[in-house]
Amino acid sequence: MISGSNSKRASTSQGDIAGVVLAAGESSRMGMDKPLLMYRGKTFLENIIAALRGAGVERIVVVLGHNAEVIRQRVDLSTVQVAVNHDYRRGQTSSLQTGLQALAINWPDGILMCLVDHPLITSDTVAELIQHFKLRGSPVIIPQLHGKHGHPVLISRKLFDEFVALGPDEGADKVIHKYRSETEFVEVSDPGILFDVDDPESYRNLTSEAPR
């Protein structure tokens, strides 16, 4: 079990909040690698990384799995840390655990868990979530638009050990639901938090009528 709760940490410009981008899945419903899909001249991965960087997030881990080498060859990931989840078929929880393991030597105060199929998130939204975390220190912070919950989700390091301890058949929601009463829901004006690109139809919708 990874244990980093008491490790020494270096500070960053955003209170040591790291980004963890989960991009390891097989994209079976899409039929092509979602990290490499294009939107406004950039891949999904590049759009998400740019949103995090624009909000001042310095530490970014991109978790790859399926076709990892192909993705690394086609996307410049030289400015981020890449972690490969060789057990990506076990599901999203295993990728989150891989991302946390990559950060374990020097735990951040929290992570922004970003899904590669949500490429429309904005720097303003990321910065707003971080600001709420710095002010209140909630264990989980979730953006919402008109009451609908979206991504990315900001998770306090207080919960990291619990995520790491999850079994292969347990989802990350098991931990998040445990802290439901302490979760902060932040109302934002960003429709990108809800735009999930998971199949060819949703990708067509993205490229034709995505929220501006």
Side-chain angles (χ1 to χ4, degrees), residues 19-24 35 45 49 52 60-65 71 77 80-85 98-99 102 116:
V20 176
V21 185
L22 305 184
L45 263 183
I49 292 168
L52 292 170
I60 299 175
V61 175
V62 172
V63 182
L64 300 178
I71 294 167
L77 298 174
V80 302
Q81 182 178 354
V82 176
V84 178
N85 177 15
T98 299
V116 76

Side-chain angles (χ1 to χ4, degrees), residues 53-196:
R53 290 283 188 230
V57 178
E58 297 178 0
R59 300 174 68 187
I60 299 175
V61 175
V62 172
V63 182
L64 300 178
H66 180 69
N67 282 346
E69 288 308 312
V70 172
I71 294 167
R72 294 181 79 157
Q73 290 170 12
R74 294 183 55 184
V75 181
D76 181 5
L77 298 174
S78 60
T79 64
V80 302
Q81 182 178 354
V82 176
V84 178
N85 177 15
H86 297 287
D87 295 324
Y88 63 87
R89 290 186 178 88
R90 290 172 51 203
Q92 195 174 90
T93 297
S94 67
S95 291
L96 176 57
Q97 291 170 332
T98 299
L100 289 173
Q101 184 174 12
L103 295 165
I105 293 176
N106 189 15
W107 281 139
D109 292 331
I111 62 164
L112 284 149
M113 182 176 67
C114 303
L115 308 183
V116 76
D117 49 13
H118 283 70
L120 270 66
I121 61 171
T122 67
S123 294
D124 287 345
T125 293
V126 172
E128 190 168 354
L129 296 178
I130 293 173
Q131 183 64 23
H132 276 266
F133 180 76
K134 290 167 70 175
L135 289 173
R136 300 174 65 89
S138 304
V140 180
I141 300 179
I142 298 175
Q144 64 179 22
L145 179 66
H146 307 311
K148 295 182 178 180
H149 304 159
H151 288 273
V153 174
L154 199 157
I155 300 167
S156 168
R157 83 173 198 175
K158 299 173 185 177
L159 279 59
F160 289 178
D161 283 334
E162 294 184 56
F163 283 108
V164 170
L166 289 171
D169 298 322
E170 295 178 303
D173 283 350
K174 178 179 179 179
V175 177
I176 292 175
H177 288 163
K178 178 180 175 181
Y179 292 89
R180 181 78 174 188
S181 64
E182 302 173 62
T183 296
E184 182 178 1
F185 297 96
V186 177
E187 187 72 21
V188 299
S189 59
D190 176 11
I193 68 167
L194 304 177
F195 212 94
D196 179 5

